[in-house]
Amino acid sequence: MRTVLTMPRSPDQALPREGPTPGLDGLDDRALVARITEGDGAALEVLYGRYGRPCYSLARRILTDDQFAQDCVQEVFLTVWRDAGRYNASRGAFSSWLLSMTHHKAVDAVRREETVRKRRAAPDILDDQVDSGPAVDDAVWSVLRGERVREALKTLPDVQREALTLAYFGGYTQREIAGLTSTPLGTVKTRMLAGMHRMKAGLENVSRAATAEPGLADGATS
Amino acid sequence: MSADHARYQELVLGHALHALEPEDEAVLLKHLTACDACTRELAEHSDTLGHLAYGTPSFAPPPSLLAGIRAAVQDESPDAFRVPSAAVSDLSQRRAQKQRSRPSRAQVLVAAAASISIAGLLGLGAWNLTLQRDNVERGQQSEALRSAVSAIVDAPDRRDVGLPNAAGDVEAVAVMHDNTVNLVVDGLAPNNTVTSTYVLWGQANGGHEIALATFDVGPEVKALPPVALPVGLQPAPHLFAVTLENGRTAPADSNGRPVVQATVPS
């Protein structure tokens, strides 16, 4: 049971000015992207509702700074708004493309902003955490999914997990990781690839469960 | 598998992780233009890494983030958040016409709220009763109606609570009187009366939301007949909210996205 009318609502929590648009919520990601290319801002808001949370969480994890994370996610969604046509559905799910873009922009930002470059090593990614904000009820699926991902990560040998998480969450290049871990560059690359294949196998059940989520063709929710 | 392709596999993963040095990145990008297998592999890695993103601690973005995105989009495209459907475009035009000649919103809402209460008294009460704005504005009410309106308007325990949308525009008023509430709506977008319904919710402080009424909205002023407040919400709830729900009945729990809402001053 949810008690979701948690008030007062902040005035800046946006709703479409012309009122709700019944039906958009039922569209899959590709259809929403098509609406965005036609200039429908409400479609962008629906996509934000689905993926704003994981995008923000990822950016926050990489940048370790709320404001930088907000700037990053805003840039991501503005990129979607300006150039939604860049998304090529034949190359994968919209959510993958969006999160990949978020990751790339966050890593670019952390490399630019050395002062906030407090990159952390892998272990804390395995902690079970979720904030206690009002949207927690909406994040149940996200949390469950996160648990499965963390379980998959835990199955990796330490060195493989370290290499992958330093790159993905820390924003380090392969060469930097080699230096950080005093490991030959070739070994780092091999560990990454082996870890990725192992994790991919471990996540297959997550993919199946995600694509079974009702109403979300791309298999992700915020 | 050739040693050369194995090398590209490592580069593909490095690219997906955004972890390549610039010189390796350039080599791979050139290769990708001619290698479908590596392009597919890159998509697979991106998909897997998309899942990995969910492994990070989950944090709700602050409301200001969406507001910032909206503002930036509107800066570039002022019409971006206009509902594009023909039906609602028509509504916008009608609204624009009304704006040119309408009395103050408060006047109309109070009159309509009072009138709908009176309609109930006169046995005219029906769910989704539509008040004709012109009639209200021209004062074409019967004397009995006028008296009854006054009785409500002048009721010593009457309390009006404006329910604003996210932009701060009051689009509904809850008029409470004698443990009942009338909701008068002016500004909500018409709903699809086949697939959706608006729901008025009340919530006690710290309590669970309670569906008080379902209703539809058309292009004219709408007012609901009086709704008795449940005992737990008397004399006034802590909160009123309106949501637009899929289906034609009120769900047990709201969808959590109020269209308008307000806390009731204590």
Side-chain angles (χ1 to χ4, degrees), chain B residues 54-251:
Chain B
Y54 283 85
T56 194
S58 181
F59 290 92
S64 58
L65 176 53
L66 178 56
I69 292 169
R70 169 188 276 276
V73 167
Q74 282 187 312
D75 276 349
E76 296 184 5
S77 311
D79 294 336
F81 293 98
R82 297 221 173 121
V83 180
S85 73
V88 183
S89 296
D90 289 346
L91 171 69
S92 298
Q93 291 176 359
R94 284 196 293 273
R95 280 184 186 162
Q97 291 169 350
K98 288 175 184 175
Q99 292 285 355
R100 287 193 283 273
S101 60
R102 70 196 309 179
S104 76
R105 171 168 292 203
Q107 275 182 308
V108 173
L109 290 181
V110 169
S115 298
I116 193 61
S117 297
I118 303 323
L121 290 173
L122 298 178
L124 301 175
W127 214 236
N128 301 331
L129 179 65
T130 298
L131 295 181
Q132 295 301 318
R133 185 191 302 274
D134 288 348
N135 288 348
V136 174
E137 292 171 1
R138 287 196 294 264
Q140 294 177 344
Q141 298 150 313
S142 68
E143 188 58 37
L145 208 55
R146 289 173 193 270
S147 299
V149 167
S150 297
I152 295 295
V153 170
D154 298 332
D157 64 342
R158 180 186 138 216
R159 299 176 68 189
D160 299 348
V161 177
L163 278 64
N165 61 17
D169 298 324
V170 173
E171 293 188 326
V173 175
V175 181
M176 289 175 286
H177 164 62
D178 193 22
N179 290 329
T180 64
V181 58
N182 291 96
L183 187 74
V184 183
V185 176
D186 185 20
L188 295 182
N191 62 306
N192 184 324
T193 58
V194 176
T195 63
S196 67
T197 185
Y198 280 97
V199 180
L200 171 65
W201 302 87
Q203 185 176 345
N205 197 0
H208 190 270
E209 65 211 30
I210 297 173
L212 299 175
T214 60
F215 61 97
D216 295 323
V217 172
E220 297 122 346
V221 173
K222 296 289 186 185
L224 278 65
V227 178
L229 289 170
V231 173
L233 296 183
Q234 294 178 6
H238 172 67
L239 166 86
F240 281 117
V242 172
T243 60
L244 180 60
E245 303 286 349
N246 291 325
R248 295 293 296 156
T249 58

Side-chain angles (χ1 to χ4, degrees), chain A residues 2 7 9 11 41 53 82, chain B residues 21 58 76 80 166 208 254 261:
Chain A
R2 308 186 297 173
M7 302 298 147
R9 187 190 193 93
R53 187 182 184 107
R82 291 168 180 155
Chain B
E21 301 299 331
S58 181
E76 296 184 5
H208 190 270
S254 82
Q261 64 187 10

